[in-house]
Amino acid sequence: TGFIRKYIFSLDHKVIGMTGSHRAGKSRTLANWLRRQWLLHGFHGALFWWVGPTILQSWEMGCGMMFGGEGGYAPLFPTDLLASKVPKSAKSDDIHVRMVDGSRFEFHHAHAKGDNLKGRQVAAIAADETAAWVEKSNWVVLHGRTIDTDAHIAAATTPVEDHWSHAELVTRAATSDLVVSHVLSCFSNPFLSLDAIWNGLEAIGA
């Protein structure tokens, strides 16, 4: 039942929001969305960003899923498409992977007020767990990174109604043609089997 995720990949909105609860596959769908953006818009010098609440989360989730085979899954990119080594830790100030076409995937954090996100224009941005970002200024800075390129931002998060990201991803979608928001469920998660989902729910008495 991955239809809604395939639909998300086809969207051309400026901002694409994905909300959902535990094990809904939000981050993995986000990683596949960013891979597709590279297939569509990659070129020498193009930048593709993954931004998480912390640099450790960006490395573990973003870099891990896309290039390191996080969680026992195969990496989204075969090594033949890589022109640099995959970072082995989150300790570097410059966590990136260079592709054979000269594009770069960079992994950043939204743990401060956005100063670390200022700079060059970006071809596509994946914003992960935005409800864990304290400062909205990070979100504002990201939009500034996409003005020249007219690039898209996709965001995935567990919804928190009183957090600024709920207003940006859910409330704004009801009034703006530039923003769309979808709710993902564990039952529509193509990366999990139904048996695993039901076993997990039964184990916690749900």
Side-chain angles (χ1 to χ4, degrees):
T1 55
F3 170 77
I4 187 63
R5 296 162 205 267
K6 293 178 181 178
Y7 172 66
I8 286 172
F9 294 159
S10 72
L11 294 174
D12 198 34
H13 296 70
K14 180 70 175 179
V15 176
I16 301 167
M18 293 172 271
T19 63
S21 59
H22 183 61
R23 307 314 301 164
K26 301 180 298 295
S27 296
R28 192 162 296 280
T29 300
L30 188 66
N32 278 276
W33 176 87
L34 191 59
R35 176 180 63 171
R36 186 172 188 274
Q37 293 302 301
W38 175 73
L39 291 170
L40 295 173
H41 307 296
F43 63 91
H44 184 81
L47 298 178
F48 297 86
W49 280 11
W50 180 284
V51 184
T54 67
I55 195 63
L56 179 61
Q57 191 270 3
S58 287
W59 174 71
E60 288 181 340
M61 297 299 292
C63 189
M65 283 188 292
M66 303 189 80
F67 300 104
E70 179 271 341
Y73 291 93
L76 296 183
F77 291 100
T79 55
D80 289 349
L81 293 178
L82 312 187
S84 67
K85 294 183 179 180
V86 177
K88 297 300 183 182
S89 75
K91 296 180 180 179
S92 172
D93 292 332
D94 182 19
I95 301 178
H96 75 275
V97 174
R98 192 171 69 254
M99 308 300 286
V100 292
D101 67 344
S103 300
R104 277 170 57 109
F105 281 85
E106 297 183 353
F107 301 88
H108 298 280
H109 70 81
H111 192 56
K113 294 187 176 182
D115 288 344
N116 62 301
L117 301 174
K118 295 178 179 179
R120 296 174 59 190
Q121 294 293 298
V122 183
I125 298 175
D128 195 31
E129 291 297 350
T130 53
W133 300 13
V134 177
E135 299 288 345
K136 182 181 177 180
S137 54
N138 291 281
W139 182 253
V140 175
V141 171
L142 289 187
H143 279 276
R145 300 283 67 76
T146 66
I147 292 176
D148 288 1
T149 54
D150 194 25
H152 306 291
I153 301 175
T157 190
T158 302
V160 178
E161 288 193 8
D162 60 352
H163 191 268
W164 59 261
S165 63
H166 189 273
E168 293 297 320
L169 299 177
V170 179
T171 306
R172 192 180 295 275
T175 60
S176 174
D177 292 336
L178 298 176
V179 182
V180 65
S181 183
H182 287 284
V183 178
L184 304 182
S185 163
C186 63
F187 291 102
S188 67
N189 185 347
F191 310 109
L192 293 179
S193 70
L194 283 176
D195 286 343
I197 294 169
W198 285 116
N199 289 339
L201 292 174
E202 183 178 349
I204 61 174

